[in-house]
Amino acid sequence: MKRSILFLAVTSALSAAVMVGDLQASSHREAPSITRSPTVDATDFYLFNSYESGREGYVTLLANYIPLQDAYGGPNYFALDPAAVYSIHIDNDGDAMPNISFNFRFSQSLANDGNGVQLAIGPEGDQRMVGVPLKNVGGISSDSTAALNFNENYTVEMVSGSDVSTLMPADGAMQFTKPYDYVGNKTFSSSAAYQAYAEQYVYDVAMPGCDAESRIFVGQRKDPFVVNLGETFDLVNYVPVEGDSAPGAGDGGGFPGGITQTSANDDLTDKNVTTLAIEVPTSCITGSGNGVIGAWTTASLPQARILNPNANFSRPEVNGGALVQVSRLSNPLVNELVIGLADKDKFNSSKPADDGQFADYVTHPTLPALLNILFKDAVNTTLGTDIEDLAPANFPRTDLVTAFLTGFPGVNQLSTVTPSEMLRLNTAIPATPAAMQSAFGVAGDDLAGFPNGRRPGDDVVDIALRVVMGALCHDIPIAGEPTNLGLCEPADAPVGNVPFTDGAPLDASMLNSQFPYLLTPLAGSPN
């Protein structure tokens, strides 16, 4: 789900500077066309200063693909598309065009010189060598992958201006390997054993013109996004306001009938994703700009695909023509909950530099109006009020334009301002250690969190819900002091100070604190 452009703009103060950032979310099955191509559907994108101990001076970028993976989804599990190009783009000068791109291309192969594992079947004199139907035929470990029948490898191309370089593993290998998905514990014996196996495929990589090495990993992970997905898209089938006096208090002292925090509200708790992760030295990606970078991920397919009427493993189809972008993600839920249905496929194929064509969806968003239709009568009845319209009344929504399209001057705004939808990170703000992070990022007095980039433990859904309903029209804490940003007034947003929530909690303690930060995937067979 494209975790919404319930754009968050929160703030931070360095000197007298104020920060408001882009909203984040996730993107599962967000547009009509992409539902037909799940292998190239981006689900989440993360951009943050690395907070692993000893990795100061690095930036981590995580692009997740293939939504809603059931761990038991065999026997072919979740390979990436070998015809696709998966890219992570970085803009460091503000023109909304990539200065640096990392392009991932995948290949698939069978064991036994492409013939696959075969078994001798039948009695002597009538014996046949017959290929097995499974991707593995025995146990797999960090010590041995001999039982693998199917392998995925990939290459990474770095494009910097007119320079194109192929990145290579520091161990001398000619290509990178993607670990086999976590099919279960008869194959891998335990979660710890699978993690040890997968960690072999975290690669140190030399980048051209960069003294320090980068790190790359591609593989299956537990889906890090937390969201009340089913009920949210059933016309928000819950009361999206905190029902306790404080999240997790369990006292029912909040909004009458409001939803309360429990992991049972997370519909992605049993899902995996496939992660493309890269950690790069900060100095090698900031260029000559102001230290703020914008980033996004895309997936592209060849324009023509002709199915082979006599398909086989190596040639199921013929692909040709120019590459066509079919998926795009930075600030999520943009396409799911902001862009109109008629333009969702167009958004996926567009470039940030062309985002002016979608401006009306930001300046005059429909989601607040929908929430007003769904909940106004119930709110007035419950509270005994007569609120005419729950939606913010400041048009155009300059609060969302600042957060979504430009960033805030002096904080997360690039050196040149081109209105565009990108995730923006101020690389000069030091990372906050995992144990000290606030799930509410800047709004929680944590300058290193959302919307200054996005970390896996930032609870962007709750933040985004509040911002789209006008939180930025009310005072928010800047260095601990309640401050109005001057974007709009409290009277413009009658429920802008309400603790909206989907009831699905998230924080950094629920994830790892080392690259690639996301948890070991769930086992297809846990016993």
Side-chain angles (χ1 to χ4, degrees):
M1 167 183 113
K2 237 148 199 162
R3 291 144 203 187
S4 82
I5 201 174
L6 307 172
F7 325 87
L8 163 64
V10 208
T11 62
S12 89
L14 289 174
S15 311
V18 187
M19 167 183 228
V20 174
D22 316 79
L23 139 91
Q24 320 301 322
S26 157
S27 162
H28 300 69
R29 297 174 56 82
E30 80 291 343
S33 181
I34 202 65
T35 62
R36 300 194 291 268
S37 305
T39 56
V40 288
D41 187 357
T43 70
D44 275 293
F45 184 62
Y46 301 90
L47 170 69
F48 53 95
N49 289 319
S50 300
Y51 52 90
E52 177 181 346
S53 178
R55 302 299 288 186
E56 298 81 8
Y58 287 82
V59 169
T60 296
L61 305 97
L62 308 176
N64 290 344
Y65 282 85
I66 313 183
L68 305 176
Q69 295 180 20
D70 290 317
Y72 51 79
N76 283 290
Y77 300 99
F78 302 99
L80 291 160
D81 191 331
V85 177
Y86 300 83
S87 301
I88 295 174
H89 307 284
I90 297 171
D91 171 23
N92 57 31
D93 60 14
D95 62 359
M97 296 294 289
N99 297 99
I100 300 171
S101 294
F102 299 97
N103 300 323
F104 294 72
R105 291 178 171 86
F106 293 83
S107 61
Q108 302 172 1
S109 62
L110 295 178
N112 189 24
D113 294 325
N115 296 307
V117 174
Q118 299 176 332
L119 299 179
I121 305 297
E124 186 177 350
D126 189 21
Q127 198 172 75
R128 303 285 189 275
M129 296 300 293
V130 182
V132 302
L134 303 178
K135 284 189 170 181
N136 67 292
V137 295
I140 299 169
S141 70
S142 57
D143 297 322
S144 175
T145 59
L148 262 180
N149 190 27
F150 172 87
N151 293 280
E152 269 187 286
N153 297 102
Y154 62 98
T155 61
V156 182
E157 174 188 75
M158 178 180 171
V159 180
S160 179
S162 60
D163 296 329
V164 180
S165 305
T166 299
L167 303 185
M168 304 294 287
D171 62 8
M174 298 305 294
Q175 57 185 343
F176 302 91
T177 296
K178 173 180 174 286
Y180 188 40
D181 289 348
Y182 191 4
V183 303
N185 284 338
K186 186 171 184 180
T187 295
F188 288 102
S189 77
S190 69
S191 177
Y194 180 84
Q195 184 59 21
Y197 158 76
E199 284 176 350
Q200 297 179 111
Y201 304 107
V202 174
Y203 292 94
D204 293 322
V205 179
M207 281 178 54
C210 193
D211 293 336
E213 289 185 330
S214 300
R215 290 192 289 186
I216 289 176
F217 170 82
V218 174
Q220 192 179 50
R221 296 283 91 188
K222 166 71 178 69
D223 193 334
F225 191 63
V226 170
V227 64
N228 196 341
L229 185 62
E231 291 184 323
T232 295
F233 284 96
D234 182 21
L235 299 178
V236 192
N237 191 14
Y238 54 92
V239 178
V241 181
E242 179 58 58
D244 286 338
S245 60
D251 56 11
F255 189 84
I259 194 168
T260 57
Q261 304 298 314
T262 171
S263 292
N265 290 328
D266 175 21
D267 287 333
L268 303 185
T269 189
D270 61 347
K271 305 299 181 185
N272 291 328
V273 291
T274 299
T275 299
L276 282 63
I278 184 165
E279 183 189 57
V280 293
T282 305
S283 60
C284 299
I285 58 173
T286 50
S288 58
N290 62 356
V292 177
I293 59 173
W296 66 100
T297 184
T298 62
S300 301
L301 288 169
Q303 192 168 26
R305 173 168 285 182
I306 302 173
L307 300 180
N308 185 353
N310 189 27
N312 55 40
F313 177 86
S314 62
R315 199 174 175 83
E317 78 248 342
V318 175
N319 295 281
L323 287 171
V324 176
Q325 181 180 303
V326 296
S327 178
R328 167 191 170 190
L329 180 60
S330 50
N331 294 306
L333 279 183
V334 170
N335 212 359
E336 276 181 330
L337 288 177
V338 177
I339 304 299
L341 188 59
D343 283 333
K344 289 180 180 292
D345 292 327
K346 178 185 287 188
F347 183 86
N348 264 348
S349 64
S350 67
K351 297 177 173 60
D354 298 327
D355 282 344
Q357 65 187 313
F358 304 115
D360 284 353
Y361 292 120
V362 182
T363 61
H364 294 71
T366 59
L367 182 60
L370 292 172
L371 291 175
N372 177 67
I373 292 170
L374 292 171
F375 293 105
K376 184 183 75 170
D377 291 345
V379 167
N380 283 326
T381 298
T382 300
L383 298 180
T385 54
D386 189 25
I387 300 173
E388 183 176 348
D389 192 337
L390 302 180
N394 53 307
F395 291 103
R397 289 291 302 273
T398 53
D399 53 332
L400 301 187
V401 170
T402 302
F404 175 46
L405 297 178
T406 66
F408 249 64
V411 184
N412 69 331
Q413 190 174 92
L414 281 88
S415 53
T416 297
V417 180
T418 303
S420 52
E421 197 277 301
M422 296 187 295
L423 187 54
R424 294 172 171 88
L425 173 70
N426 187 336
T427 63
I429 295 177
T432 302
M436 300 173 63
Q437 289 180 17
S438 168
F440 284 86
V442 176
D445 203 23
D446 181 359
L447 303 183
F450 176 77
N452 181 30
R454 178 193 179 187
R455 301 168 304 196
D458 291 337
D459 193 349
V460 296
V461 172
D462 285 6
I463 300 171
L465 281 169
R466 298 172 194 192
V467 168
V468 78
M469 294 305 292
L472 299 182
C473 297
H474 294 256
D475 290 354
I476 61 174
I478 299 177
E481 292 296 323
T483 305
N484 189 285
L485 302 180
L487 297 169
C488 42
E489 298 299 325
D492 293 326
V495 294
N497 57 353
V498 168
F500 287 96
T501 180
D502 69 336
L506 173 67
D507 62 62
S509 70
M510 300 164 66
L511 296 125
N512 290 330
S513 55
Q514 304 86 33
F515 182 82
Y517 295 94
L518 309 186
L519 295 177
T520 302
L522 302 171
S525 169
N527 298 320

